[in-house]
Amino acid sequence: MYEPIRSKSVHSTMAGACDFPHRSREEELDIQLAGHLAALLAVTDELRALTPSADLDTAAERLAAQVARLRGGRAPLRAAPAVAGDPAALHRRAHTLAGRALVVAASRADTAVAILAAERMDAHAAGTDPKTLSPAH
Protein backbone atom coordinates (compact mmCIF):
# COMPACT_ATOMS: atom_id res chain seq x y z
CA MET A 1 0.00 0.00 0.00
CA TYR A 2 2.74 2.45 0.92
CA GLU A 3 6.08 2.66 -0.78
CA PRO A 4 8.99 2.28 1.64
CA ILE A 5 11.27 5.27 2.23
CA ARG A 6 14.37 4.79 0.09
CA SER A 7 16.48 7.70 1.22
CA LYS A 8 17.70 8.78 4.60
CA SER A 9 15.77 11.37 6.55
CA VAL A 10 16.91 14.95 6.24
CA HIS A 11 16.95 15.15 10.02
CA SER A 12 19.28 12.20 10.45
CA THR A 13 21.73 13.43 7.82
CA MET A 14 21.88 16.90 9.38
CA ALA A 15 22.36 15.60 12.91
CA GLY A 16 25.93 14.52 12.26
CA ALA A 17 26.81 17.56 10.18
CA CYS A 18 26.86 20.18 12.96
CA ASP A 19 30.16 22.03 12.75
CA PHE A 20 29.51 24.68 15.37
CA PRO A 21 30.03 24.04 19.07
CA HIS A 22 27.00 23.84 21.31
CA ARG A 23 26.90 25.38 24.76
CA SER A 24 25.50 23.65 27.78
CA ARG A 25 22.46 24.97 29.60
CA GLU A 26 24.71 26.21 32.40
CA GLU A 27 26.89 28.14 29.95
CA GLU A 28 23.81 29.72 28.37
CA LEU A 29 22.49 30.72 31.79
CA ASP A 30 25.88 32.20 32.71
CA ILE A 31 25.83 34.31 29.54
CA GLN A 32 22.26 35.42 30.16
CA LEU A 33 22.94 36.24 33.81
CA ALA A 34 26.10 38.19 32.99
CA GLY A 35 24.10 40.21 30.47
CA HIS A 36 21.39 41.08 32.99
CA LEU A 37 23.98 42.04 35.59
CA ALA A 38 25.94 44.14 33.10
CA ALA A 39 22.75 46.01 32.16
CA LEU A 40 21.99 46.52 35.86
CA LEU A 41 25.53 47.80 36.35
CA ALA A 42 25.05 50.34 33.54
CA VAL A 43 21.85 51.66 35.14
CA THR A 44 23.56 51.70 38.54
CA ASP A 45 26.38 53.78 37.06
CA GLU A 46 23.78 56.21 35.64
CA LEU A 47 22.18 56.50 39.07
CA ARG A 48 25.60 57.04 40.66
CA ALA A 49 26.18 59.99 38.32
CA LEU A 50 22.79 61.52 39.20
CA THR A 51 22.66 60.75 42.91
CA PRO A 52 26.05 59.69 44.29
CA SER A 53 25.88 57.40 47.30
CA ALA A 54 28.06 54.86 49.06
CA ASP A 55 25.32 52.21 48.59
CA LEU A 56 25.38 52.63 44.81
CA ASP A 57 29.19 52.60 44.76
CA THR A 58 29.26 49.33 46.72
CA ALA A 59 26.53 47.84 44.53
CA ALA A 60 28.45 48.78 41.37
CA GLU A 61 31.61 47.11 42.68
CA ARG A 62 29.72 43.94 43.62
CA LEU A 63 27.90 43.82 40.28
CA ALA A 64 31.17 44.30 38.35
CA ALA A 65 32.80 41.50 40.36
CA GLN A 66 29.94 39.09 39.59
CA VAL A 67 29.94 39.97 35.88
CA ALA A 68 33.69 39.36 35.76
CA ARG A 69 33.27 36.01 37.54
CA LEU A 70 30.57 34.88 35.12
CA ARG A 71 32.63 35.98 32.12
CA GLY A 72 35.72 34.07 33.17
CA GLY A 73 37.56 37.01 34.70
CA ARG A 74 36.84 39.58 31.98
CA ALA A 75 35.78 42.84 33.57
CA PRO A 76 32.64 44.48 32.15
CA LEU A 77 33.00 47.51 29.91
CA ARG A 78 31.76 50.64 31.62
CA ALA A 79 30.77 53.80 29.82
CA ALA A 80 30.64 57.30 31.25
CA PRO A 81 27.00 57.77 32.21
CA ALA A 82 24.91 60.78 31.27
CA VAL A 83 24.34 63.28 34.04
CA ALA A 84 20.73 63.90 33.03
CA GLY A 85 17.76 61.66 33.62
CA ASP A 86 14.89 60.78 35.89
CA PRO A 87 16.15 58.89 38.96
CA ALA A 88 12.73 57.32 39.60
CA ALA A 89 12.60 55.93 36.04
CA LEU A 90 16.15 54.60 36.40
CA HIS A 91 15.22 52.94 39.70
CA ARG A 92 12.22 51.26 38.01
CA ARG A 93 14.44 50.04 35.18
CA ALA A 94 17.07 48.78 37.63
CA HIS A 95 14.36 47.03 39.66
CA THR A 96 13.19 45.19 36.53
CA LEU A 97 16.73 44.20 35.57
CA ALA A 98 17.47 42.98 39.09
CA GLY A 99 14.29 40.88 38.95
CA ARG A 100 15.39 39.27 35.70
CA ALA A 101 18.82 38.56 37.18
CA LEU A 102 17.16 37.03 40.25
CA VAL A 103 15.09 34.64 38.12
CA VAL A 104 18.13 33.44 36.16
CA ALA A 105 20.30 33.22 39.30
CA ALA A 106 17.64 31.11 40.99
CA SER A 107 17.39 28.79 37.99
CA ARG A 108 21.13 28.18 37.99
CA ALA A 109 21.29 28.02 41.83
CA ASP A 110 23.76 30.92 42.12
CA THR A 111 23.09 32.01 45.70
CA ALA A 112 25.54 34.92 45.71
CA VAL A 113 23.97 36.56 42.68
CA ALA A 114 20.44 35.78 43.86
CA ILE A 115 21.12 37.56 47.15
CA LEU A 116 22.74 40.51 45.36
CA ALA A 117 19.83 40.78 42.92
CA ALA A 118 17.25 40.61 45.72
CA GLU A 119 19.10 43.33 47.65
CA ARG A 120 19.18 45.53 44.54
CA MET A 121 15.47 44.95 43.94
CA ASP A 122 14.75 46.15 47.49
CA ALA A 123 17.02 49.17 47.12
CA HIS A 124 15.51 50.18 43.78
CA ALA A 125 11.96 49.61 44.99
CA ALA A 126 12.74 52.07 47.78
CA GLY A 127 14.17 54.44 45.15
CA THR A 128 10.83 54.59 43.33
CA ASP A 129 8.83 55.32 46.49
CA PRO A 130 8.09 59.08 46.68
CA LYS A 131 8.33 58.94 50.50
CA THR A 132 11.96 57.75 50.36
CA LEU A 133 13.13 60.09 47.62
CA SER A 134 15.07 63.08 48.87
CA PRO A 135 14.07 66.65 47.91
CA ALA A 136 17.01 66.74 45.46
CA HIS A 137 15.14 64.27 43.23
Side-chain angles (χ1 to χ4, degrees), residues 33 37 62-63 65-66 69-70 101-102 105-106 108-120:
L33 185 55
L37 292 177
R62 291 175 64 199
L63 289 167
Q66 290 299 329
R69 179 184 63 86
L70 290 166
L102 179 59
R108 67 180 295 277
D110 190 331
T111 307
V113 174
I115 291 169
L116 176 59
E119 289 172 358
R120 298 316 311 150

Side-chain angles (χ1 to χ4, degrees), residues 29 45 59 65 73 77 111 118 122 125 130:
L29 289 173
D45 283 341
L77 296 176
T111 307
D122 290 343

Side-chain angles (χ1 to χ4, degrees), residues 81-101:
V83 188
D86 177 19
L90 288 172
H91 279 293
R92 283 190 298 273
R93 186 169 168 215
H95 184 271
T96 300
L97 290 167
R100 291 177 184 166

